[in-house]
Amino acid sequence: MEKIFKLKENGTNVRTEVLAGLSTFMTMAYIIALNPNLLTNFDTGSPLWNGVFLATVISSGIGCLVMAFLANKPFAMAPGMGLNSFFALVVANIATMTGMGYLESFQSALVIILIEGIVFILLSIFNVREKIVDAIPLGVRLGIGPAIGLMLMNIGLGSNVGIYAEGNGFTTPFYVMRDFFGALTPSVIQGNMGDAGYTQMVLTVITMFIGLFVIVALDHKKVKGSVLLGMLAASVVYWIGSFAVLNTNPFASLANASFLPPFADMAETTLFKLNFAGFAQIGWFTVITLVITFCVIDMFDTIGTLVGTASRAGMLDEKGNMPKMKEALMADAVGTTVGSVTGTSTVTTFVESAAGVEAGGRTGLTALTVGVMFLLSMFIAPIAAIIPAAATSAALIYVGILMLGNLKKIDFGDMTQLLPVCIMLLAMPVSGSIGHGIGLALITYTIMKMVTGKAKEVSVLTYVLSLIFLVKFFLVA
């Protein structure tokens, strides 16, 4: 382990790295079920759902292994949120345009992901993606971490926990921040949700904050694995509350759960099932537009996550660059390519990697641990599913708060640096896209330099990137 991952050189050890990997995995394990749900319109248990489920864990696992051994970085990978929803929309549009069924359209869209993965591999080999990282101004780079922090807090306090209750006919969820803390009085939200839903919401909020305070208390005492232990403590609280207050068994799903991977369904629906004939019916202009869109969003999501998380871990040099960035970007490209041939949308570096970094993860052993857990999830997915969302929210909120620390490095007296960062701080949590937040920051930075008479300080590549985002936001159909 020492020879492969250089643990002593990075000031860590096997125990810390493994705990960090488990912390990261637990915060992102939701993707195991959520990704096939989104890509198959919640057609749970169908052959396509089973195929996407296996594709999710296999592509995530392989992506993490490449990150571990090629880049020796503690970053985890999985099919990206936002990109998977966009992929599902593309599949639906292909079905409408061509008249193909959903499965055939899905297999046609996988060709687009394959092209994206190959493009990323070529861009990584020829250092183009690394040059794009260098073109992001230092001020914007310093602001990426805090912006991701706010995004994590928004996920933890907002969309990560949705309570489906009687008040909305169990169709659309109520959220902690918007609906619970946003209600005029407790009686209003109770009336809106119904008694059972409101009780579950109260238990969720209590669980979330107990988990958060346990993490803070343990970290204050320098306890290793504080994030993981806090999540476990929160899970126990929720499980006890489920029995005592909700009168439900939180482990009921394990009774009829299957622990055998559905390889036959995967072979039938997604494994190397690239529909080139259907792909040819889409139209070249549409294909080019979709490939560019996927590439731009994924590229800047990955770059933002790598830079922001590496900054928190102290992995950036004085110029804001991360060693072995090329290798880390290659892991993303390989993961996407594997995802396309196994049956899922774009694989990207997950922002939840910050949980493992905060738990002390500094090397590829953390990523290796996450990768092994994903591969084991072919057999233990039902166990991962019983971790309540409220427990993972506690970790996301805590890590998000810590990532705000980079704001002290921002020059608040320089408006050309401050305004792009402020817009990015708002854009990431509101839009839910790291890439879009960076894009808006780049556009703002470029325009600010132009209007203040400092246009020559902007590199040519920064101008090009700003123009690409302008086209993407306003001109791409």
Side-chain angles (χ1 to χ4, degrees):
M1 288 294 181
E2 175 60 37
K3 185 176 180 180
I4 297 173
F5 298 113
K6 299 178 174 61
L7 301 177
K8 291 182 180 178
E9 180 182 320
N10 288 280
T12 184
N13 55 56
V14 172
R15 179 178 179 274
T16 298
E17 294 291 301
V18 171
L19 286 175
L22 291 174
S23 295
T24 294
F25 176 75
M26 289 181 68
T27 60
M28 60 187 292
Y30 65 85
I31 197 67
I32 294 171
L34 183 56
N35 192 55
N37 280 345
L38 292 174
L39 295 190
T40 66
N41 293 318
F42 292 84
D43 192 13
T44 308
S46 68
L48 179 58
W49 193 99
N50 289 334
V52 176
F53 158 73
L54 280 180
T56 299
V57 296
I58 290 171
S59 60
S60 301
I62 292 176
C64 289
L65 295 183
V66 176
M67 180 69 76
F69 293 111
L70 186 62
N72 194 24
K73 299 297 181 186
F75 308 123
M77 314 192 71
M81 290 299 297
L83 287 165
N84 49 14
S85 298
F86 181 57
F87 180 87
L89 179 62
V90 168
V91 173
N93 288 338
I94 291 174
T96 301
M97 287 189 301
T98 63
M100 293 187 293
Y102 191 88
L103 178 59
E104 292 79 7
S105 300
F106 186 95
Q107 295 166 341
S108 301
L110 288 177
V111 180
I112 298 174
I113 305 303
L114 175 63
I115 294 172
E116 178 196 354
I118 294 172
V119 168
F120 275 172
I121 288 176
L122 293 174
L123 291 178
S124 299
I125 290 174
F126 294 106
N127 297 323
V128 175
R129 295 176 84 186
E130 210 167 358
K131 287 183 172 61
I132 290 174
V133 175
D134 293 338
I136 300 176
L138 179 59
V140 175
R141 265 188 263 179
L142 292 173
I144 290 173
I148 290 176
L150 286 180
M151 185 176 177
L152 286 174
M153 292 177 66
N154 186 53
I155 294 171
L157 285 165
S159 59
N160 189 51
V161 180
I163 307 296
Y164 288 84
E166 181 183 1
N168 282 340
F170 301 97
T171 56
T172 55
F174 292 89
Y175 292 115
V176 171
M177 184 58 70
R178 185 192 68 188
D179 299 304
F180 184 80
F181 290 111
L184 292 175
T185 64
S187 61
V188 171
I189 185 61
Q190 183 173 9
N192 290 338
M193 295 187 72
D195 291 339
Y198 178 73
T199 302
Q200 184 182 1
M201 177 65 85
V202 171
L203 176 61
T204 295
V205 173
I206 292 173
T207 298
M208 181 187 300
F209 283 102
I210 286 178
L212 177 60
F213 295 141
V214 169
I215 293 172
V216 171
L218 292 176
D219 183 67
H220 179 71
K221 294 182 178 181
K222 307 299 181 184
V223 175
K224 293 289 186 180
S226 59
V227 174
L228 178 60
L229 293 173
M231 283 192 287
L232 289 175
S235 297
V236 171
V237 169
Y238 192 87
W239 293 333
I240 293 173
S242 295
F243 279 117
V245 181
L246 302 181
N247 298 315
T248 59
N249 180 3
F251 310 116
S253 60
L254 297 177
N256 299 315
S258 172
F259 291 86
L260 296 176
F263 286 117
D265 287 341
M266 182 186 189
E268 175 190 339
T269 57
T270 63
L271 184 62
F272 291 102
K273 297 295 184 181
L274 298 164
N275 186 355
F276 290 97
F279 171 77
Q281 298 181 45
I282 299 174
W284 290 110
F285 178 79
T286 301
V287 166
I288 292 172
T289 300
L290 289 174
V291 169
I292 291 175
T293 301
F294 273 111
C295 283
V296 170
I297 296 174
D298 180 31
M299 184 182 302
F300 283 91
D301 275 4
T302 299
I303 289 172
T305 301
L306 289 174
V307 172
T309 308
S311 175
R312 174 64 197 169
M315 295 178 181
L316 301 184
D317 60 24
E318 65 279 358
K319 295 182 180 179
N321 298 318
M322 185 184 80
K324 289 200 170 185
M325 175 66 82
K326 177 180 179 179
E327 289 83 352
L329 293 171
M330 179 61 78
D332 166 76
V334 172
T336 294
T337 305
V338 172
S340 70
V341 297
T342 54
T344 186
S345 54
T346 306
V347 174
T348 188
T349 307
F350 253 53
V351 68
E352 283 84 354
S353 300
V357 168
E358 192 52 44
R362 292 297 182 271
T363 73
L365 183 53
T366 294
L368 173 61
T369 303
V370 180
V372 169
M373 290 302 297
F374 267 118
L375 295 176
L376 287 176
S377 292
M378 289 188 285
F379 306 94
I380 64 170
I383 296 176
I386 65 174
I387 303 298
T392 62
S393 283
L396 294 175
I397 295 166
Y398 175 71
V399 173
I401 293 170
L402 294 178
M403 293 187 76
L404 293 176
N406 244 19
L407 284 175
K408 63 186 177 185
K409 299 179 182 179
I410 305 295
D411 184 359
F412 280 76
D414 180 2
M415 188 57 69
T416 64
Q417 185 177 142
L418 181 60
L419 183 59
V421 170
C422 287
I423 289 179
M424 185 165 58
L425 288 170
L426 182 63
M428 277 195 199
V430 172
S431 70
S433 170
I434 296 172
H436 288 177
I438 295 174
L440 284 169
L442 285 174
I443 292 170
T444 306
Y445 171 85
T446 302
I447 294 175
M448 285 295 295
K449 287 293 186 182
M450 292 171 65
V451 300
T452 55
K454 300 177 181 178
K456 292 183 179 179
E457 295 181 6
V458 182
S459 70
V460 174
L461 187 50
T462 303
Y463 277 116
V464 171
L465 294 175
S466 300
L467 180 60
I468 289 173
F469 273 108
L470 281 171
V471 172
K472 190 216 172 297
F473 288 140
F474 297 106
L475 296 181
V476 175

